[in-house]
Amino acid sequence: MLSPKDYIEKNKDAFLNELIELLKIPSVSADPAFKDDVNAAAKVVKKSLLAAGCDTAEVCETPGLPIVYGEKIIDPKLPTVLVYGHYDVQPPDPIDLWTSPPFEPVIKKTDIHPEGAIFARGACDDKGQMFMHVKALQYMTETDNLPCNVKFMIEGEEEVGSVSLEWFLERNQDKLENDVILISDTGMISKDTPSITTGLRGLSYVEVEVTGPNRDLHSGLYGGAVANPINILNKMIASLQDEDNRITVPGFYDKVEELSKEERQKMAEAPFDLDEYKEHIGIPDVRGEKAYSTLERASIRPTLDVNGIWGGYIGEGAKTVIASKAYAKISMRLVPNHNWEEITELFKKHFESIAPAGVTVEVKPHHGGQAYVTPIDGIEYKAADLAFKDTFGKDAIPLRSGGSIPIVSLFEGYLKSKTILMGFGLNSDAIHSPNEHFGVWNFLKGIETIPYFYKHFTDLKTKS
Ligand code: BES
Ligand code: MN
Ligand code: MN
């Protein structure tokens, strides 16, 4: 019988070429100008599911962008794995900084990926990782190795808050019934250290608008006498963190889960090299909340960051002007027990309260989601760990991630099953950044590992 490894060896060029075709479609969910491309990508995903052996696959319309659903039910009495992923991608900006165009995928060698990596927006997040599951299914159906039922739910709004997915969950609870949800949309520690993501941070995303005079003013005629919204906005933002880099929004830390000494000790044992970390992202030093390590700051602690700020004149040369308005987009990463809607409210109240006389401030909530933690003593985790052991020869390290997949916490509520996050990306893959890429080795290793998860999960589930 053909092993996943042998099957992949025979088919890898075809797999890569198919992924490259999908990566050529600029399915940017944030920008309505790409709506047709988003729809086109959904169709390609549907076709690939049918080609991989799904009995049915459909592009399901929603109030927003479509969700692709597919399934193969071999025996209703057997367990069912629900695969979740997303085919939408982040905007490619700033395009100038890409060494090859974001939607013209090319395979290039890098230090970390001497076998080559596919450079394209979405290569790792999440088209490449989602596609591993499609190809793993193809292996299992073509070689008669599918041990259980499988359902796929691939959405097109993950990068903009998964608003329609909740709508879809509400209406399709029966259809989506499953025993475990499997997702590859996170990372692993390194190519020889597999890890299972056991936590995701929550998110509250807001936009703020500071308004001063009713029009842009001459900064000579009026400067010094009226509040400058840009100056004020920066001052307000600067006040949101104190000298210990703690967030000053009243109540922000009230519900933050404090990890036990043992848990923190365990985290500190994960392989991590601070010098390498600094070198990779080109910073002279790290900075963050006092009394926490870099790994902790980037996973178990909450944050507040400005993602973009604008206003006034930014064209060529100089223009002397006091802008009427200034804006910023602010995200807060949240941790278990935080309620994102409550944090959004706390932020709004505080930010409006610190506005000085002379300006008005408006806070517009965007989207958000709860944090998530998975237990490591269930059969779901065990199956993933065994699968990594089969293909990497060692146990996976459980690790909480700093990223967010807001829908994951909702899955448990709607679908009553646990989620397992088996990521194959690396931090250096530059997701959301220029020159995003995904190692060919990682892509193929994912396809190889996934069938083992199915096998172990089915074994453990049918025994239990
Ligand atoms: N796949 C990422 C999240 C991720 C990446 C989690 C790596 C853990 C490790 C996902 O596509 C993403 O980017 N999520 C957004 C949130 C969303 C609401 C825009 C994020 O984390 O910023
Ligand atoms: Mn993603
Ligand atoms: Mn993303």
Side-chain angles (χ1 to χ4, degrees):
M1 191 169 46
L2 216 50
S3 71
K5 220 181 160 117
D6 295 336
Y7 183 84
I8 290 162
E9 198 44 48
K10 273 179 62 182
N11 291 288
K12 63 182 180 195
D13 292 337
F15 292 174
L16 284 167
N17 287 332
E18 283 173 55
L19 174 58
I20 284 172
E21 287 310 306
L22 179 61
L23 289 168
K24 284 182 186 168
I25 308 171
S27 46
V28 177
S29 49
D31 186 346
F34 292 92
K35 195 167 179 228
D36 290 347
D37 297 299
V38 172
N39 285 310
K43 276 203 196 117
V44 171
V45 172
K46 173 192 152 173
K47 269 199 199 139
S48 72
L49 284 173
L50 290 171
C54 278
D55 304 325
T56 59
E58 50 185 326
V59 173
C60 308
E61 296 305 326
T62 73
L65 300 169
I67 292 166
V68 185
Y69 177 81
E71 64 177 33
K72 183 167 183 70
I73 308 296
I74 55 171
D75 178 352
K77 288 194 287 296
L78 283 170
T80 301
V81 175
L82 173 66
V83 175
Y84 163 84
H86 62 96
Y87 65 83
D88 66 321
V89 301
Q90 284 277 323
D93 319 67
I95 290 194
D96 295 353
L97 297 182
W98 284 76
T99 53
S100 54
F103 298 108
E104 292 171 27
V106 279
I107 297 179
K108 291 186 267 195
K109 290 183 168 46
T110 71
D111 288 350
I112 294 177
H113 299 293
E115 327 63 20
I118 314 170
F119 280 73
R121 172 57 87 230
C124 176
D125 183 13
D126 179 43
K127 284 174 176 167
Q129 295 209 70
M130 175 273 289
F131 210 60
M132 299 179 317
H133 288 270
V134 178
K135 293 298 133 182
L137 173 65
Q138 186 172 321
Y139 159 74
M140 291 185 282
T141 57
E142 283 187 5
T143 61
D144 224 358
N145 269 314
L146 181 65
C148 60
N149 305 308
V150 55
K151 297 176 176 176
F152 274 74
M153 175 170 65
I154 311 298
E155 70 153 319
E157 291 183 344
E158 197 280 337
E159 299 292 6
V160 289
S162 302
V163 176
S164 302
L165 193 61
E166 187 167 7
W167 179 93
F168 190 73
L169 288 179
E170 262 169 29
R171 284 161 183 77
N172 292 283
Q173 265 157 293
D174 292 343
K175 180 170 170 159
L176 297 171
E177 203 172 275
N178 66 82
D179 296 281
V180 65
I181 299 163
L182 183 60
I183 305 180
S184 295
D185 192 21
T186 55
M188 58 180 184
I189 294 180
S190 71
K191 283 165 78 177
D192 45 31
T193 315
S195 41
I196 298 170
T197 304
T198 51
L200 292 165
R201 283 195 282 199
L203 184 72
S204 163
Y205 202 107
V206 299
E207 190 167 318
V208 300
E209 179 181 322
V210 176
T211 306
N214 60 6
R215 58 182 169 88
D216 289 6
L217 302 174
H218 189 290
S219 65
L221 292 181
Y222 290 94
V226 298
N228 178 325
I230 301 177
N231 292 18
I232 300 282
L233 175 60
N234 281 288
K235 226 173 159 163
M236 289 170 72
I237 287 170
S239 79
L240 294 174
Q241 268 136 346
D242 67 15
E243 57 282 6
D244 293 335
N245 288 313
R246 281 175 68 87
I247 295 147
T248 57
V249 176
F252 190 86
Y253 290 96
D254 285 1
K255 293 189 177 163
V256 167
E257 168 201 54
E258 291 294 339
L259 262 63
S260 68
K261 233 184 167 156
E262 291 73 39
E263 282 172 293
R264 292 185 68 186
Q265 190 66 43
K266 250 210 128 69
M267 271 195 82
E269 285 164 19
F272 177 74
D273 184 328
L274 188 60
D275 290 327
E276 217 170 70
Y277 180 87
K278 292 195 278 194
E279 198 190 309
H280 271 151
I281 50 175
I283 52 166
D285 207 352
V286 291
R287 184 183 156 86
E289 188 182 355
K290 197 175 166 183
Y292 290 94
S293 71
T294 295
L295 267 186
E296 289 173 332
R297 288 168 179 169
S299 63
I300 58 160
R301 300 300 297 166
T303 66
L304 186 153
D305 279 295
V306 177
N307 297 256
I309 183 162
W310 70 103
Y313 183 69
I314 52 163
E316 281 295 311
K319 180 187 181 197
T320 48
V321 67
I322 293 173
S324 164
K325 284 175 185 287
Y327 306 84
K329 290 184 195 276
I330 296 175
S331 66
M332 288 162 276
R333 295 284 167 172
L334 311 177
V335 295
N337 302 338
H338 256 156
N339 174 317
W340 77 269
E341 279 157 322
E342 203 175 299
I343 292 291
T344 305
E345 226 8 79
L346 288 178
F347 176 88
K348 185 173 160 68
K349 233 172 92 189
H350 176 67
F351 204 70
E352 285 169 357
S353 79
I354 60 173
V359 296
T360 55
V361 167
E362 202 185 332
V363 176
K364 295 178 206 157
H366 258 276
H367 56 76
Q370 307 297 102
Y372 186 70
V373 262
T374 42
I376 61 170
D377 54 5
I379 59 165
E380 302 86 357
Y381 185 90
K382 180 112 214 251
D385 188 40
L386 287 170
F388 278 120
K389 219 170 183 166
D390 288 336
T391 56
F392 287 76
K394 51 171 112 164
D395 282 313
I397 294 180
L399 208 64
R400 292 214 208 171
S401 169
S404 309
I405 310 176
I407 202 69
V408 170
S409 66
L410 290 177
F411 284 154
E412 206 166 307
Y414 282 106
L415 306 176
K416 315 274 179 261
S417 49
K418 292 278 175 235
T419 294
I420 279 295
L421 300 156
M422 288 177 91
F424 291 87
L426 299 177
N427 275 354
S428 54
D429 287 346
I431 62 171
H432 293 208
S433 302
N435 304 310
E436 173 178 354
H437 54 279
F438 189 34
V440 170
W441 184 90
N442 300 63
F443 175 61
L444 301 177
K445 203 68 179 171
I447 303 173
E448 186 189 336
T449 307
I450 291 162
Y452 290 100
F453 174 84
Y454 279 65
K455 177 176 158 294
H456 291 301
F457 182 75
T458 306
D459 284 352
L460 291 165
K461 181 82 191 172
T462 46
K463 257 191 278 162
S464 70

